[in-house]
């Protein structure tokens, strides 16, 4: 039986590349999305990967959605908590709403995604939890107090889950992508983006597939001894 993988935010950007890679690797994949029905329908039509719509910031919606995926696709073996948003603003201009939107989606969203899946993984004595953090959780970023807080929080989540899940055959790891050629990065003003690219020794943005291949490794049986760690994929922009 093929293993089942759930990818949140899995129909666009980095998440779409992850969904495709896992499907290529033989997993039965379910991808979630929050609002863009057209993109999700196009993604399903192109890839055959089923998409499910729910808001990861809402626990009850997440739990109900996960129950539906498990009924339709099967018990989830691999969960990739990838869904995330930015609401960038210098701190003196950041509103409480911008703070809460990002915390609710990017950080509480990880709890809401992994928590309902965790008991089944413990029972079945296998699981792979992979959280998509960010270079900006490692180094901080101008105008991203909210986002950087969530991405640094991801690292605390996986280090703690790693200790709790190890005896049950579950690993929990993070990937810290640098600046990847996605809509999120393309939304950064061009001048700022050019200056960021200037700080990347590789001299280019990363490709979504380069992150997807990191996920494929962490999801594999071969990665069973990799637990509580993070993979930096940032073109040499920042070393931990
Ligand atoms: N470092 C130092 N100063 C900076 C700066 C930086 N990185 N970026 C902007 N500034 C300065 C500007 O030069 C400007 O200074 P002056 O007032 O002296 O001209 C000031 O800060 C900006 O002030 P504004 O009032 O113009 O700022 P704003 O309210 O219009 O906000 C911004 C603009 C939101 C900061 C915009 O520049 C921006 O989006 N920056 C990019 C932030 C960023 O890198 N986000 C990452 C998104 S990608 C992602 O998050 C994916 C991932 O995981 C890597």
């Amino acid at each position: 039986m093929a293993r089942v993988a759930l990818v949140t935010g899995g129909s666009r950007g980095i998440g779409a590349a992850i969904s495709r890679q896992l499907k290529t690797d033989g997993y039965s994949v379910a991808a979630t999305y929050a609002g863009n029905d057209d993109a999700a329908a196009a993604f399903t039509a192109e890839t055959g990967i089923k998409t499910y719509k729910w808001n990861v910031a809402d626990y009850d919606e997440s739990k109900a959605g996960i129950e539906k995926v498990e009924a339709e696709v099967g018990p989830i073996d691999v969960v990739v908590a990838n869904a995330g948003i930015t609401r960038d603003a210098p701190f003196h201009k950041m509103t409480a709403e911008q703070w809460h939107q990002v915390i609710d989606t990017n950080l509480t969203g990880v709890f809401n995604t992994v928590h309902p899946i965790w008991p089944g993984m413990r029972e079945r004595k296998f699981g792979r939890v992979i959280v998509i953090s960010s270079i900006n959780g490692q180094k901080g970023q101008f105008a991203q107090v909210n986002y950087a807080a969530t991405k640094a929080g991801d690292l605390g989540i996986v280090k703690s889950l790693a200790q709790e899940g190890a005896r049950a055959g579950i690993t929990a790891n993070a990937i810290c992508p640098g600046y990847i050629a996605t809509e999120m990065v393309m939304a950064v003003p061009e001048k700022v983006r050019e200056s960021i690219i200037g700080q990347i020794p590789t001299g280019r943005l990363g490709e979504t597939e380069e992150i997807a291949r990191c996920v494929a490794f962490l999801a594999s049986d071969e990665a069973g001894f990799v637990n509580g760690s993070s993979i930096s994929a940032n073109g040499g922009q920042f070393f931990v």
Side-chain angles (χ1 to χ4, degrees):
M1 271 281 281
R3 285 194 173 139
V4 174
L6 177 73
V7 184
T8 64
S11 66
R12 293 197 297 143
I14 290 174
I18 295 169
S19 299
R20 287 176 206 269
Q21 177 73 52
L22 292 176
K23 185 177 182 213
T24 301
D25 290 353
Y27 294 85
S28 298
V29 180
T32 82
Y33 70 103
N36 193 330
D37 295 317
D38 291 344
F43 179 75
T44 300
E46 191 198 326
T47 63
I49 294 170
K50 276 183 108 172
T51 48
Y52 295 82
K53 184 178 185 176
W54 73 74
N55 177 7
V56 297
D58 185 300
Y59 186 83
D60 293 338
E61 260 188 52
S62 298
K63 191 165 184 292
I66 286 161
E67 279 166 10
K68 190 165 184 235
V69 169
E70 294 206 315
E72 291 182 7
V73 187
I76 295 165
D77 303 297
V78 176
V79 56
V80 186
N82 163 78
I85 59 168
T86 53
R87 294 290 181 270
D88 294 355
F91 190 55
H92 65 282
K93 290 186 184 170
M94 187 173 286
T95 62
E97 192 188 4
Q98 287 174 319
W99 168 261
H100 286 298
Q101 282 176 340
V102 173
I103 298 292
D104 292 353
T105 301
N106 296 13
L107 188 61
T108 308
V110 176
F111 176 85
N112 294 345
T113 299
V114 180
H115 191 259
I117 295 171
W118 189 254
M121 287 182 166
R122 277 166 50 89
E123 270 168 34
R124 295 187 298 276
K125 299 272 180 277
F126 179 85
R128 294 281 186 266
V129 175
I130 300 161
V131 182
I132 306 302
S133 174
S134 165
I135 186 175
N136 292 343
Q138 299 171 303
K139 71 169 186 60
Q141 171 60 38
F142 189 100
Q144 285 201 312
V145 165
N146 49 4
Y147 184 88
T150 65
K151 297 300 179 178
D154 288 339
L155 304 181
I157 290 173
V158 299
K159 287 173 192 168
S160 303
L161 286 180
Q163 295 176 48
E164 294 196 22
R167 295 260 173 106
I170 307 170
T171 65
N173 293 285
I175 296 165
C176 295
Y179 283 77
I180 308 300
T182 59
E183 282 174 42
M184 185 183 273
V185 168
M186 292 311 174
V188 171
E190 195 180 350
K191 242 177 96 183
V192 180
R193 198 170 59 248
E194 288 307 320
S195 103
I196 290 168
I197 294 172
Q199 295 159 27
I200 305 174
T202 314
R204 64 170 175 87
L205 296 174
E207 299 296 333
T208 55
E209 292 78 9
E210 292 175 301
I211 304 306
R213 285 193 285 273
C214 297
V215 172
F217 168 66
L218 290 175
S220 69
D221 283 336
E222 288 73 20
F225 202 58
V226 182
N227 200 7
S229 71
S230 56
I231 298 178
S232 296
N234 62 33
Q237 189 183 351
F238 185 74
F239 305 118
V240 184

